[in-house]
Amino acid sequence: MEALGINFGLLIVQIIAFIIVFLTLNSWVYKPMLDMMESRKTKIAQGLEDARVAAEARADAQKDADKIRAEAQAEAGKIVREATERAASAGKDVKAAAEAEAAKAREAAMGEAELERNRILGDLRGQVAALAIAAANKLVGEALDEKKQHALIDEFFSV
Protein backbone atom coordinates (compact mmCIF):
# COMPACT_ATOMS: atom_id res chain seq x y z
CA MET A 1 0.00 0.00 0.00
CA GLU A 2 2.99 2.11 0.14
CA ALA A 3 2.83 2.37 -3.62
CA LEU A 4 -0.52 4.14 -3.29
CA GLY A 5 0.88 6.51 -0.65
CA ILE A 6 -1.07 5.06 2.20
CA ASN A 7 0.68 4.53 5.50
CA PHE A 8 -0.78 1.34 7.00
CA GLY A 9 -0.02 2.30 10.68
CA LEU A 10 -1.50 5.75 10.26
CA LEU A 11 -4.57 4.23 8.61
CA ILE A 12 -5.13 1.93 11.57
CA VAL A 13 -4.72 4.81 14.04
CA GLN A 14 -7.18 6.90 12.05
CA ILE A 15 -9.66 3.98 11.90
CA ILE A 16 -9.33 3.48 15.70
CA ALA A 17 -9.72 7.25 16.24
CA PHE A 18 -12.79 7.25 13.95
CA ILE A 19 -14.31 4.30 15.87
CA ILE A 20 -13.64 6.06 19.20
CA VAL A 21 -15.19 9.31 17.93
CA PHE A 22 -18.10 7.37 16.41
CA LEU A 23 -18.76 5.42 19.63
CA THR A 24 -18.42 8.58 21.75
CA LEU A 25 -20.74 10.58 19.51
CA ASN A 26 -23.14 7.63 19.29
CA SER A 27 -23.39 7.23 23.06
CA TRP A 28 -23.22 10.89 24.11
CA VAL A 29 -24.92 12.76 21.29
CA TYR A 30 -26.79 10.56 18.86
CA LYS A 31 -28.64 8.26 21.35
CA PRO A 32 -29.67 11.10 23.72
CA MET A 33 -30.82 13.11 20.68
CA LEU A 34 -32.84 10.13 19.40
CA ASP A 35 -34.27 9.55 22.87
CA MET A 36 -35.18 13.24 23.15
CA MET A 37 -36.79 13.20 19.68
CA GLU A 38 -38.70 10.02 20.53
CA SER A 39 -39.84 11.56 23.81
CA ARG A 40 -40.92 14.72 21.98
CA LYS A 41 -42.70 12.64 19.34
CA THR A 42 -44.54 10.75 22.12
CA LYS A 43 -45.49 14.03 23.87
CA ILE A 44 -46.77 15.51 20.61
CA ALA A 45 -48.76 12.36 19.84
CA GLN A 46 -50.17 12.39 23.38
CA GLY A 47 -51.03 16.10 23.02
CA LEU A 48 -52.81 15.46 19.73
CA GLU A 49 -54.72 12.54 21.25
CA ASP A 50 -55.66 14.68 24.27
CA ALA A 51 -56.80 17.46 21.91
CA ARG A 52 -58.91 14.98 19.93
CA VAL A 53 -60.46 13.60 23.12
CA ALA A 54 -61.08 17.14 24.38
CA ALA A 55 -62.69 18.10 21.06
CA GLU A 56 -64.96 15.04 21.22
CA ALA A 57 -65.82 15.83 24.84
CA ARG A 58 -66.55 19.46 23.91
CA ALA A 59 -68.74 18.32 20.99
CA ASP A 60 -70.59 15.89 23.28
CA ALA A 61 -70.99 18.59 25.90
CA GLN A 62 -72.30 21.00 23.26
CA LYS A 63 -74.81 18.37 22.08
CA ASP A 64 -75.89 17.75 25.68
CA ALA A 65 -76.18 21.49 26.30
CA ASP A 66 -78.26 21.93 23.14
CA LYS A 67 -80.47 19.02 24.16
CA ILE A 68 -80.92 20.40 27.68
CA ARG A 69 -81.62 23.88 26.28
CA ALA A 70 -84.23 22.45 23.89
CA GLU A 71 -85.87 20.50 26.71
CA ALA A 72 -85.86 23.58 28.93
CA GLN A 73 -87.43 25.67 26.15
CA ALA A 74 -90.07 23.00 25.56
CA GLU A 75 -90.79 22.84 29.29
CA ALA A 76 -90.97 26.62 29.50
CA GLY A 77 -93.39 26.69 26.56
CA LYS A 78 -95.50 24.03 28.22
CA ILE A 79 -95.55 25.96 31.50
CA VAL A 80 -96.50 29.17 29.68
CA ARG A 81 -99.33 27.39 27.82
CA GLU A 82 -100.61 25.84 31.06
CA ALA A 83 -100.42 29.19 32.85
CA THR A 84 -102.26 30.86 29.98
CA GLU A 85 -104.95 28.19 30.05
CA ARG A 86 -105.28 28.49 33.83
CA ALA A 87 -105.46 32.28 33.56
CA ALA A 88 -108.13 32.03 30.85
CA SER A 89 -110.07 29.53 32.95
CA ALA A 90 -109.73 31.72 36.03
CA GLY A 91 -110.84 34.73 33.96
CA LYS A 92 -113.90 32.82 32.78
CA ASP A 93 -114.66 31.77 36.36
CA VAL A 94 -114.30 35.35 37.60
CA LYS A 95 -116.46 36.62 34.73
CA ALA A 96 -119.10 33.98 35.45
CA ALA A 97 -119.03 34.80 39.16
CA ALA A 98 -119.30 38.52 38.41
CA GLU A 99 -122.20 37.91 36.02
CA ALA A 100 -123.91 35.70 38.62
CA GLU A 101 -123.39 38.35 41.28
CA ALA A 102 -124.66 41.04 38.92
CA ALA A 103 -127.72 38.92 38.13
CA LYS A 104 -128.31 38.37 41.84
CA ALA A 105 -127.93 42.09 42.52
CA ARG A 106 -130.30 42.83 39.61
CA GLU A 107 -132.83 40.34 40.99
CA ALA A 108 -132.52 41.87 44.45
CA ALA A 109 -132.98 45.37 43.00
CA MET A 110 -135.98 44.17 40.99
CA GLY A 111 -137.44 42.60 44.12
CA GLU A 112 -136.90 45.80 46.09
CA ALA A 113 -138.39 47.84 43.25
CA GLU A 114 -141.42 45.52 43.15
CA LEU A 115 -141.85 45.83 46.91
CA GLU A 116 -141.53 49.64 46.70
CA ARG A 117 -143.99 49.70 43.78
CA ASN A 118 -146.49 47.61 45.72
CA ARG A 119 -146.04 49.83 48.79
CA ILE A 120 -146.54 52.98 46.71
CA LEU A 121 -149.57 51.44 44.98
CA GLY A 122 -150.97 50.46 48.36
CA ASP A 123 -150.51 54.02 49.64
CA LEU A 124 -151.97 55.37 46.42
CA ARG A 125 -155.00 53.07 46.69
CA GLY A 126 -155.65 54.33 50.16
CA GLN A 127 -155.42 57.94 49.00
CA VAL A 128 -157.55 57.25 45.90
CA ALA A 129 -160.10 55.48 48.10
CA ALA A 130 -160.20 58.41 50.50
CA LEU A 131 -160.65 60.83 47.60
CA ALA A 132 -163.31 58.64 46.04
CA ILE A 133 -165.24 58.41 49.30
CA ALA A 134 -164.99 62.14 49.79
CA ALA A 135 -166.23 62.72 46.25
CA ALA A 136 -168.98 60.16 46.69
CA ASN A 137 -170.05 61.79 49.98
CA LYS A 138 -170.35 65.10 48.23
CA LEU A 139 -172.26 63.64 45.33
CA VAL A 140 -174.50 61.34 47.26
CA GLY A 141 -174.91 63.67 50.11
CA GLU A 142 -175.01 60.98 52.66
CA ALA A 143 -172.40 59.41 54.77
CA LEU A 144 -171.36 55.91 53.95
CA ASP A 145 -170.62 53.50 56.69
CA GLU A 146 -167.31 51.61 56.71
CA LYS A 147 -168.79 48.46 55.25
CA LYS A 148 -170.23 50.26 52.25
CA GLN A 149 -167.00 52.15 51.78
CA HIS A 150 -164.94 48.95 51.58
CA ALA A 151 -167.43 47.38 49.20
CA LEU A 152 -167.23 50.42 46.89
CA ILE A 153 -163.42 50.44 47.03
CA ASP A 154 -163.17 46.74 46.20
CA GLU A 155 -165.59 47.20 43.33
CA PHE A 156 -163.64 50.20 42.03
CA PHE A 157 -160.28 48.39 42.05
CA SER A 158 -161.60 45.16 40.64
CA VAL A 159 -162.64 46.82 37.40
Side-chain angles (χ1 to χ4, degrees), residues 98-114:
E99 287 175 354
E101 191 173 321
K104 191 162 62 168
R106 192 171 34 250
E107 288 295 321
M110 292 294 280
E112 287 179 19
E114 185 68 27

Side-chain angles (χ1 to χ4, degrees), residues 107-125 127:
E107 288 295 321
M110 292 294 280
E112 287 179 19
E114 185 68 27
L115 287 175
E116 184 65 20
R117 181 179 159 273
N118 289 339
R119 185 189 63 77
I120 290 172
L121 282 177
D123 290 347
L124 188 62
R125 281 184 187 149
Q127 291 174 0

Side-chain angles (χ1 to χ4, degrees), residues 50-72:
D50 290 346
R52 187 188 61 78
V53 169
E56 288 176 0
R58 185 176 48 87
D60 290 343
Q62 184 65 35
K63 286 178 187 175
D64 290 345
D66 291 343
K67 181 180 175 184
I68 290 170
R69 187 178 304 119
E71 289 174 358

Side-chain angles (χ1 to χ4, degrees), residues 72-85:
Q73 287 175 345
E75 184 68 24
K78 179 182 171 187
I79 290 171
V80 167
R81 278 192 304 279
E82 288 175 357
T84 303
E85 290 170 1

